[in-house]
Amino acid sequence: MSEYYNVAEIFGENVFNDAVMQERLPKKVYKRLKDVISEGRELDLETADVVAHEMKEWAIEKGATHYTHWFQPLTGVTAEKHDSFITAPMPNGKVLMSFSGKELIKGEPDASSFPSGGLRATFEARGYTAWDCTSPAFVRQDAAGATLCIPTAFCSYTGEALDQKTPLLRSMEAINTQSIRLLRLFGNTTSKKVTPSVGPEQEYFLVDRQKYLKRKDLIFTGRTLFGAMPPKGQEMDDHYFGAIRERIAAYMKDVNKELWKLGVSAKTQHNEVAPAQHELAPIYAEANIAVDHNQLVMETLKKVAGRHGMTCLLHEKPFAGVNGSGKHNNWSITTDDGINLLDPGKTPHDNIQFLLVLTCILKAVHKHADLLRESAADAGNDHRLGANEAPPAIISIFLGEQLQDVLTQLISTGEATRSLKGEVLQTGVKTLPDFMKDATDRNRTSPFAFTGNKFEFRMVGSNDSIAAPNVVLNTIVAEAFSDACDVLEKSNDFEMAVHNLIKEQATEHQDIVFNGNGYSPEWVEEAERRGLPNITNMVDAVPALTTEKAIALFERFNVFTKAELESRSEIHYENYAKAINIEARAMIDMAGKQIIPAVIKYTTALANSINSVKAACDADLSVQTGLLTEVSALLAETKAALIRLTEAAEKAYAVPEGREQAVCYRDDVKTAMDALRAPVDKLEMIVDKEMWPMPSYGDLIFEV
Ligand code: ADP
Ligand code: MG
C-alpha cells in the first residue's frame, strides 16, 4: 500500500533545528546560542542549561526516552552510549525526566576500547565527547525506541583528537581564516565566514537478505571472498540509469522519508553501473553537517534494507569483476553571504580571484597528492583504486578543455586573451568565459575533477567517512591561500602581484593537471615521468601522514599535532591488519567447513554414478571420469591453498601490531587468499549448482 505524505511537512521534523530553537528558546538564549554557533565559541553553562531543558522537552514529545552523545571514533562507524533522562526516584516513588546543560555539552563515554593509536596511553586514559553545536541534535526513532542524538567531537582529556570530527572542525577553522584573508585582499569587506560545502554521492548494493544470510563472507566482511562471474555481467550497461524496480523503489521511498525527517536533504537516486547497485546524493551542506549526514545516510540505507527483506552492502568491492562502490565528495568554498570561491564568475574582478583560487588548489593538490590519496585509503578501497573502474590510484586534476586552454595561455604568455568558445577576452586574465558545467564534466576517469563551480573528489570509498578527505582538502587549500596572502599582503602593486602569482603557480604546478584517460597504461608512465605518486594500496599510503611535510602542514594550521598523526597512522595499520585478518579467517572457515565438504560430496556422487553406470552397461564414461579427475585435482589444490593460507594468517597474527604486521597481511596473507580463491571459483563453475553451499553471484545480483 502506498503511503502519501507532504515532504515539506515532514522535512526536519526530528531535528532540533533553527526553526525549533527559535520557537522554543527564550529570545536571549536563542541569540546567545546563535552567536556561539556563528562565532565558533564555547557555550556557557547557563545557556546550555536552558537549551538542554528545551531540547529534552522537545525530544520527549517525539517519544525519546534516552539521549546519546553521537560521535565518530576512528573505527569508521558512529558510536553512542545511551543514557535515559530519568533521575533517581523521589520519596514518592516517581522519577523526573532531566537533562542538564553539562550533560548536553560534555559527556564521558567509557570509550577505552576505541582505537587511539597509543594516544590515550601516552596522555590520559579517558576520553570525553563535546557537543558540536554547529551540527543540530536530532531524534532517531526506530524499533529500538526513540533517542535524542547529540553530534559530538571525541577527544582525550588533554585535548588530542580521537575521532573524525575534531580535526574536521579544526580544518574548517583554518580554511575560514585563510579564505577571509584572501577575500579581504580582493576588497571584500562584507563576508564574515567561509565554509567548505560538501555534497557526497553515495553508492551502494542491495542484495536479498535470505541469500545474504547464506554467505558467511558477506556477513563477516561485507564482501564476497569467493564467487565466479555470472554468465552475464555488467557489460550490457542496461542497469545504469535504468528504470528502478518496484521493490527497490519502495525501499528508496522509505529511505528518503527517514532521511527527510532527520533533515538530510536526500535529492537524487538512480541505478548505478553494476547490477543491483544504486546511488543516493543529498543536496550539499556545510562540511561538518555533510559528514554527519553521510553517516546517517549509511546508517539509514542499512536499517531500512532490513525492513524490505534486503541487505545494503556498503563495501567498496562486494563482488570481484563487478564495479565497486565509492563516494564522490563534491567540494567548494562558500561565504556566509553566498559567494562560491570556486565559481568563475562573470566580472573581471571575480575572474582574477577565481584564477588565483584555482592555481592555489593546483598547488595544494600537487604538493600534497600523497595526503589526498591517503585520505581515501582503506582496505576495501584497495580493490577499487587503480582497477579499471574507479579513478586510478594516481592523484591528478581534471580541468576540462576550456579551463585548460586558459591555463595554457596563462603559462605561455602570462595572459589569457581568448576563449575556446570563441568569445573575446578583454585584457589580461581579467575576463573568463562562463564555464558551462556540461563543458567541464566529461571525464569520469579523473580522481579530482573541476565540475563547473566545485571539485569532485572521486576516490573516497563507499564505506568510509568523508571526514578525512575534507580535512585534507580544507587544510592543504588553507596552506596555499595562506602562502598566497603572505606574498600579496606585502606587495605594493596588488594587480601586478596577483598576475605574477597566478602565472607562477599555474606554471609550477601544471604537472598535476591531466585531462586524458586516467585508465590508460600510458598515464601511469606519464605520471611517473612527472613525479606524481602512484600509491597502489593502503599500507603504502599511510606513511604520507607522518612525513615532515605533513607534520609541518597540519601543525601550522592546528589541525593535527605530530602525536595525533602518529597515532592515526598506527590506527590505520591496525585497521588494515584487522580487516584482512577477518577476511582470511572467514575464507578459512568457508573453505574448510562448507566448500571442501560440498565438493567431496559431489565427487562421491560422481564416483557412485560412474560405478552404477559401469555395472549397468558398457557405456562411454569419459565425461564422468574426466570431470571427476578435474574436480579432484582442484579439490587437492584447494586443500593445499587452505593450508598455506592458515599458516600465513597465523604468522601474520603473531607479528606485533604496526606497519610490519600490515605489510605481512598485504604481501603474504592476501596472496594466499588469492591462491585459495582461484581453484574454488573454478570449482563453482563445474560443481552441480544444487550442491554448491552458497548463492552464486548470479543469484545475488540479478535476483534482488
Ligand atoms: P552529478 O555529479 O551526478 O552531475 P551534481 O553535480 O548535480 O551531480 O551534484 C552532485 C553532488 O554535488 C550533490 O550532492 C550536490 O548537492 C553537490 N554539489 C552541487 N553543487 C555543489 C557545490 N557548489 N559545492 C559542493 N557540492 C555541490
Ligand atoms: Mg558527480
Side-chain angles (χ1 to χ4, degrees):
M1 276 309 288
S2 249
E3 178 210 1
Y4 298 97
Y5 51 85
N6 183 334
V7 179
E9 262 168 35
I10 65 162
F11 191 84
E13 77 175 20
N14 288 351
V15 185
F16 196 72
N17 55 23
D18 193 59
V20 180
M21 293 197 281
Q22 202 163 358
E23 186 192 313
R24 297 210 167 222
L25 297 175
K27 265 209 179 67
K28 243 176 63 192
V29 174
Y30 171 76
K31 189 170 177 308
R32 214 174 308 155
L33 181 62
K34 288 294 282 184
D35 288 348
V36 164
I37 292 173
S38 66
E39 287 156 28
R41 285 184 288 113
E42 242 178 81
L43 197 62
D44 61 284
L45 253 184
E46 198 185 325
T47 311
D49 273 332
V50 182
V51 176
H53 175 79
E54 288 304 327
M55 202 186 264
K56 176 205 70 185
E57 293 294 305
W58 168 84
I60 288 174
E61 284 168 28
K62 304 267 162 209
T65 51
H66 288 69
Y67 72 91
T68 179
H69 277 203
W70 186 74
F71 60 105
Q72 297 164 36
L74 297 167
T75 49
V77 289
T78 53
E80 38 199 85
K81 173 195 167 208
H82 295 201
D83 282 298
S84 78
F85 291 121
I86 62 168
T87 56
M90 297 178 295
N92 67 2
K94 294 275 183 198
V95 292
L96 291 175
M97 300 291 264
S98 99
F99 184 48
S100 69
K102 198 165 155 270
E103 287 167 314
L104 166 65
I105 56 181
K106 199 163 174 178
E108 291 185 29
D110 176 22
S112 47
S113 57
F114 289 115
S116 76
L119 263 187
R120 263 188 268 124
T122 334
F123 297 94
E124 162 66 65
R126 282 171 308 167
Y128 73 93
T129 50
W131 184 29
D132 165 20
C133 55
T134 55
S135 181
F138 56 93
V139 167
R140 190 208 281 124
Q141 298 163 323
D142 54 34
T147 306
L148 170 65
C149 300
I150 299 147
T152 55
F154 177 43
C155 296
S156 79
Y157 257 88
T158 35
E160 278 78 23
L162 297 172
D163 69 346
Q164 311 270 16
K165 194 62 166 290
T166 310
L168 180 70
L169 294 173
R170 295 175 184 161
S171 74
M172 287 170 71
E173 195 49 55
I175 195 148
N176 173 38
T177 311
Q178 301 309 326
S179 300
I180 290 285
R181 249 180 102 188
L182 190 133
L183 285 170
R184 296 286 181 264
L185 280 169
F186 281 87
N188 174 328
T189 52
T190 46
S191 300
K192 288 196 188 66
K193 194 178 169 192
V194 176
T195 334
S197 300
V198 172
E201 303 162 61
Q202 174 76 48
E203 291 179 332
Y204 60 95
F205 277 88
L206 286 172
V207 295
D208 183 86
R209 180 135 187 98
Q210 291 312 316
K211 290 175 189 154
Y212 164 87
L213 289 173
K214 292 193 183 114
R215 297 222 38 149
K216 288 192 192 176
D217 46 5
L218 286 181
I219 293 174
F220 292 122
T221 73
R223 77 176 180 106
T224 55
L225 300 167
F226 300 103
M229 274 302 284
K232 179 184 168 183
Q234 65 194 48
E235 56 280 310
M236 308 286 285
D237 266 353
D238 49 359
H239 181 72
Y240 192 46
F241 278 46
I244 296 171
R245 273 170 305 135
E246 197 166 304
R247 184 181 191 185
I248 308 296
Y251 163 79
M252 288 177 170
K253 186 170 162 245
D254 239 14
V255 166
N256 285 337
K257 188 177 175 191
E258 290 277 317
L259 290 174
W260 289 335
K261 287 206 279 187
L262 292 169
V264 179
S265 52
K267 172 87 174 162
T268 323
Q269 60 198 25
H270 58 75
N271 292 348
E272 262 300 326
V273 180
Q277 193 184 28
H278 310 278
E279 182 187 292
L280 184 151
I283 297 173
Y284 64 92
E286 296 187 358
N288 60 327
I289 294 175
V291 167
D292 286 356
H293 281 183
N294 184 246
Q295 294 292 339
L296 287 176
V297 165
M298 292 195 284
E299 241 178 74
T300 306
L301 285 172
K302 285 192 203 159
K303 195 164 75 181
V304 175
R307 281 187 221 151
H308 289 256
M310 297 187 286
T311 295
C312 172
L313 303 177
L314 289 175
H315 194 282
E316 285 77 13
K317 193 76 178 174
F319 308 100
V322 177
N323 264 11
S325 300
K327 246 183 294 235
H328 290 177
N329 189 86
N330 293 275
W331 179 91
S332 66
I333 335 170
T334 334
T335 66
D336 55 339
D337 46 357
I339 304 164
N340 177 358
L341 271 66
L342 291 183
D343 195 331
K346 292 205 166 110
T347 65
H349 173 88
D350 291 336
N351 290 165
I352 301 188
Q353 184 182 302
F354 169 74
L355 281 179
L356 178 64
V357 167
L358 181 76
T359 57
C360 280
I361 294 176
L362 296 189
K363 173 181 169 180
V365 174
H366 192 205
K367 184 170 171 195
H368 298 293
D370 58 341
L371 275 177
L372 206 51
R373 168 66 183 86
E374 197 286 329
S375 76
D378 72 24
N381 226 7
D382 279 3
H383 299 281
R384 206 178 141 248
L385 299 180
N388 226 17
E389 43 164 281
I394 305 162
I395 296 270
S396 64
I397 298 183
F398 172 80
L399 290 179
E401 228 178 318
Q402 218 176 20
L403 203 47
Q404 179 58 51
D405 177 60
V406 169
L407 205 72
T408 310
Q409 292 179 54
L410 276 172
I411 292 166
S412 58
T413 65
E415 291 192 348
T417 51
R418 70 196 147 73
S419 139
L420 266 189
K421 284 181 75 201
E423 290 149 36
V424 177
L425 294 177
Q426 301 298 316
T427 52
V429 295
K430 287 186 176 171
T431 314
L432 288 174
D434 264 356
F435 291 106
M436 302 304 295
K437 191 172 179 287
D438 295 343
T440 54
D441 190 13
R442 277 200 219 105
N443 188 320
R444 289 178 66 86
T445 70
S446 175
F448 198 74
F450 182 70
T451 49
N453 62 359
K454 60 182 162 54
F455 273 100
E456 189 168 331
F457 182 42
R458 297 169 171 154
M459 253 189 193
V460 190
S462 50
N463 205 13
D464 221 358
S465 162
I466 52 165
N470 289 300
V471 168
V472 171
L473 279 173
N474 296 342
T475 315
I476 65 178
V477 174
E479 181 191 54
F481 283 0
S482 174
D483 291 349
C485 291
D486 287 346
V487 172
L488 298 176
E489 279 164 355
K490 277 192 231 114
S491 74
N492 301 321
D493 182 346
F494 179 70
E495 290 272 315
M496 195 60 188
V498 178
H499 184 274
N500 289 342
L501 187 59
I502 291 173
K503 183 179 181 208
E504 183 194 307
Q505 296 193 142
T507 310
E508 223 166 285
H509 301 288
Q510 56 183 311
D511 273 353
I512 195 67
V513 180
F514 177 64
N515 295 300
N517 177 8
Y519 297 169
S520 70
E522 294 81 44
W523 169 231
V524 176
E525 286 165 30
E526 169 64 18
E528 197 180 336
R529 268 194 297 279
R530 294 189 193 183
L532 301 179
N534 181 5
I535 304 170
T536 58
N537 62 85
M538 172 170 175
V539 178
D540 286 343
V542 176
L545 282 177
T546 47
T547 59
E548 267 173 42
K549 169 175 79 76
I551 296 168
L553 166 80
F554 287 121
E555 291 204 325
R556 175 170 163 200
F557 294 98
N558 300 318
V559 173
F560 287 121
T561 61
K562 183 167 182 245
E564 285 172 331
L565 288 166
E566 282 165 353
S567 98
R568 255 151 232 259
S569 61
E570 284 310 305
I571 291 168
H572 288 324
Y573 288 133
E574 247 173 70
N575 286 348
Y576 181 87
K578 276 187 192 146
I580 307 296
N581 181 47
I582 293 170
E583 290 186 349
R585 277 167 198 263
M587 267 190 127
I588 292 166
D589 188 271
M590 291 167 79
K593 292 197 192 135
Q594 292 184 289
I595 294 163
I596 291 178
V599 177
I600 290 175
K601 252 186 225 156
Y602 180 61
T603 53
T604 310
L606 263 180
N608 288 341
S609 143
I610 291 170
N611 288 335
S612 312
V613 176
K614 211 184 264 173
C617 65
D618 189 21
D620 175 2
L621 284 162
S622 59
V623 173
Q624 289 95 319
T625 49
L627 200 52
L628 184 57
T629 315
E630 191 186 355
V631 171
S632 301
L634 286 167
L635 180 63
E637 197 188 319
T638 302
K639 179 66 188 173
L642 173 60
I643 293 170
R644 278 195 301 273
L645 175 59
T646 311
E647 286 166 1
E650 273 167 15
K651 208 180 110 214
Y653 192 73
V655 175
E657 274 179 5
R659 180 170 175 82
E660 199 195 333
Q661 187 186 43
V663 167
C664 196
Y665 274 106
R666 181 195 64 191
D667 294 346
D668 304 342
V669 179
K670 276 189 90 171
T671 314
M673 284 166 63
D674 291 343
L676 175 56
R677 179 171 187 149
V680 171
D681 287 0
K682 283 188 201 148
L683 281 167
E684 188 186 343
M685 301 293 281
I686 46 180
V687 168
D688 184 351
K689 181 162 170 50
E690 299 294 315
M691 291 192 179
W692 197 251
M694 61 199 80
S696 67
Y697 272 25
D699 301 331
L700 285 165
I701 53 182
F702 285 102
E703 296 170 29
V704 188

